Amino acid sequence: ATMDITLLEKRAEQVLARFDPGKTRAARQHRPFMIEFFGTPKSGKSTMKEVLKQFFDRNKYRVYAATEGAEAIRWRPRVEPDYNLRTAEYALGEARDLCFQKSYHVGLFDRATFDAVMRMDLYREKGVLSPEQHAILEGYYLLPHNRKNLFDLHVCLVASPEVAMQRELAKAITSKPGETMNPATLQSLLDAHKRIWDRLGCADDPSMIWHDSSLESEAETAASIMSATLDAFERRLDTLPPL
C-alpha cells in the first residue's frame, strides 16, 4: 500500500506540472478539473470527497470542495421534486462559477448532474413526474452544459443495503430505521442507480465510474478512486491545447 501511495503522489506531481506549468494557473483559460461523486447512502461519497481533498491539498493542488446541496439547502419539509431541483441547481451553479475561478486546480462535488438524473428517474417511477416531464428534465441535465463542459469524472459509489445498514448502525445510538436508512429505501435507490447506469450506457463512457465499496476498506476504495481520478485527469490533459 505504501508503494501505491508513493506512485499516486508521483503521478499527481506530474499531472500538476502538466496542468499548471510554472504555477501560472491564473493566466490560463481552461477550467479546473472537476469530479462529481454520487451514489447510494453509506457507500463512501463524503469520505472519498474528503480523502481526495486531503490528497490534492498535500500534493500542492488548490482544491475547491463544494458544500453538499443537502447541507446548503435547508428545506423542511423536502417537497418532491422541488427540493432535488433546488439542490441540483445549487450544485450546477457552483460548478459553473468554478469554471471561472482561475485560482483552483480541482473542484470536488458530492452530488451534482448525475445525482439529479437519478432522482428524477426515481420520481418518474413513483409517479411524482409524468414521463414527459421526466424526459424534459433528464434531457436538460444531460446537456453538454451540465455534463461534459463542467465535469471530467462522475464516480457512482454504491454499497449493498445490508452493508449500508451495518455502517449506519455501527455509528448510531438508535437502532430505529431512518427515512432513507432502511433496507427497502436503500434497495430502491440502488435499483435506480443500476437502471440509469444501464439505460444511459454509462459503462461505455470513460468519464463514468461505477464502484461498489461493499467489500472494501475505506483505504482500498480511496486508492482505487484516486487512481481512476488521475487517469481521468491525464485524459483531460491530452485534450488541452498546447501552451
Side-chain angles (χ1 to χ4, degrees):
T2 313
M3 185 58 212
D4 287 351
I5 297 299
T6 310
L7 202 62
L8 288 173
E9 288 173 341
K10 189 75 189 157
R11 281 182 71 195
E13 189 183 319
Q14 291 165 349
V15 163
L16 184 58
R18 282 179 67 192
F19 191 58
D20 190 7
K23 296 186 170 56
T24 54
R25 168 92 182 104
R28 309 199 179 287
Q29 294 306 305
H30 45 261
R31 63 164 174 75
F33 176 84
M34 279 145 72
I35 307 164
E36 172 193 11
F37 290 101
F38 71 110
T40 60
K42 298 296 166 186
S43 58
K45 297 183 300 298
S46 303
T47 304
M48 289 309 114
K49 183 177 133 191
E50 285 307 307
V51 165
L52 259 67
K53 182 179 186 304
Q54 183 192 58
F55 177 89
F56 280 124
D57 273 341
R58 292 188 180 176
N59 285 281
K60 299 185 169 58
Y61 286 69
R62 288 186 293 279
V63 187
Y64 179 82
T67 304
E68 190 199 342
E71 292 293 316
I73 314 301
R74 297 188 172 277
W75 283 20
R76 289 287 185 272
R78 293 179 173 181
V79 183
E80 298 179 341
D82 306 67
Y83 173 73
N84 287 102
L85 293 173
R86 180 68 188 94
T87 54
E89 286 157 8
Y90 159 79
L92 292 171
E94 289 282 292
R96 272 191 245 290
D97 287 349
L98 189 56
C99 289
F100 297 95
Q101 295 290 324
K102 295 301 169 61
S103 54
Y104 293 105
H105 297 115
V106 175
L108 302 174
F109 291 79
D110 184 351
R111 305 185 193 278
T113 305
F114 272 89
D115 183 70
V117 169
M118 188 279 302
R119 298 278 165 185
M120 297 310 136
D121 191 89
L122 213 52
Y123 290 142
R124 187 201 65 223
E125 288 282 310
K126 288 170 72 174
V128 174
L129 290 173
S130 70
E132 294 75 20
Q133 289 170 330
H134 172 256
I136 291 167
L137 284 166
E138 184 174 279
Y140 166 70
Y141 290 126
L142 294 178
L143 284 172
H145 310 282
N146 296 319
R147 191 178 175 185
K148 302 292 184 190
N149 298 1
L150 291 181
F151 294 96
D152 300 281
L153 189 63
H154 302 271
V155 179
C156 183
L157 277 164
V158 298
S160 69
E162 302 76 37
V163 169
M165 288 304 297
Q166 284 166 12
R167 289 174 179 171
E168 169 79 354
L169 294 173
K171 295 177 183 175
I173 52 170
T174 174
S175 59
K176 291 181 179 176
E179 207 173 307
T180 302
M181 292 308 298
N182 62 78
T185 303
L186 291 169
Q187 187 62 54
S188 73
L189 286 169
L190 182 57
D191 291 344
H193 283 84
K194 283 179 177 167
R195 198 163 56 236
I196 283 175
W197 192 264
D198 294 339
R199 180 165 61 76
L200 297 178
C202 295
D204 299 323
D205 183 343
S207 72
M208 305 287 302
I209 289 176
W210 177 281
H211 192 97
D212 189 332
S213 70
S214 302
L215 301 176
E216 295 177 329
S217 67
E218 284 182 350
E220 287 169 326
T221 303
S224 180
I225 297 302
M226 194 63 237
S227 181
T229 297
L230 290 171
D231 288 345
F233 211 143
E234 285 164 354
R235 283 197 301 274
R236 163 82 183 281
L237 287 168
D238 292 340
T239 69
L240 292 178
L243 295 167

